[in-house]
Amino acid sequence: MSTYRGPTKRFDELLHGLHRIAAEVQQLKGFQGAYVLVGRSSGNLVTLTFWDTSENAQVSGEEGDKIRTQIAMESGQNIEDVEIYEVWLRLGTVF
């Protein structure tokens, strides 16, 4: 999970950047899916990515650091936090 914060007027630039690199992210080993959550009133944007194993999540994090930094710089956002969580409970159909 990555949290970005910055000027909401530039969210569209960040979203465009995320869309541009989507195909690259989908090619990373173990990628299962992703969500992008936009809090326009709070100035936060959160990306949630899902991986088949914690090992692949860790490995993808190294490549993800480069991608996150580039996208954040291009859109004037700050990367507030990057965390890896384990799914403990799933309710309903997520994907």
Side-chain angles (χ1 to χ4, degrees):
M1 180 174 92
S2 301
T3 304
Y4 302 82
R5 178 182 287 275
T8 57
K9 63 185 176 193
R10 296 193 64 191
F11 269 178
D12 288 337
E13 293 175 56
L14 179 58
L15 293 169
H16 175 73
L18 291 170
H19 188 268
R20 190 181 74 240
I21 55 91
E24 182 180 346
V25 172
Q26 291 178 51
Q27 298 304 311
L28 295 174
K29 183 179 178 183
F31 177 80
Q32 297 290 300
Y35 286 109
V36 177
L37 310 174
V38 179
R40 290 191 188 268
S41 63
S42 68
N44 285 340
L45 185 140
V46 175
T47 58
L48 298 170
T49 54
F50 298 90
W51 305 90
D52 60 352
T53 66
S54 59
E55 292 81 18
N56 283 336
Q58 286 284 66
V59 170
S60 73
E62 297 164 9
E63 184 63 27
D65 286 343
K66 296 176 200 171
I67 294 169
R68 277 187 292 276
T69 300
Q70 176 186 353
I71 297 301
M73 285 182 11
E74 290 174 1
S75 62
Q77 307 294 313
N78 294 314
I79 301 167
E80 294 287 310
D81 196 20
V82 178
E83 294 283 335
I84 295 178
Y85 294 93
E86 179 181 326
V87 175
W88 182 79
L89 175 66
R90 178 180 148 199
L91 300 173
T93 304
V94 179
F95 289 97

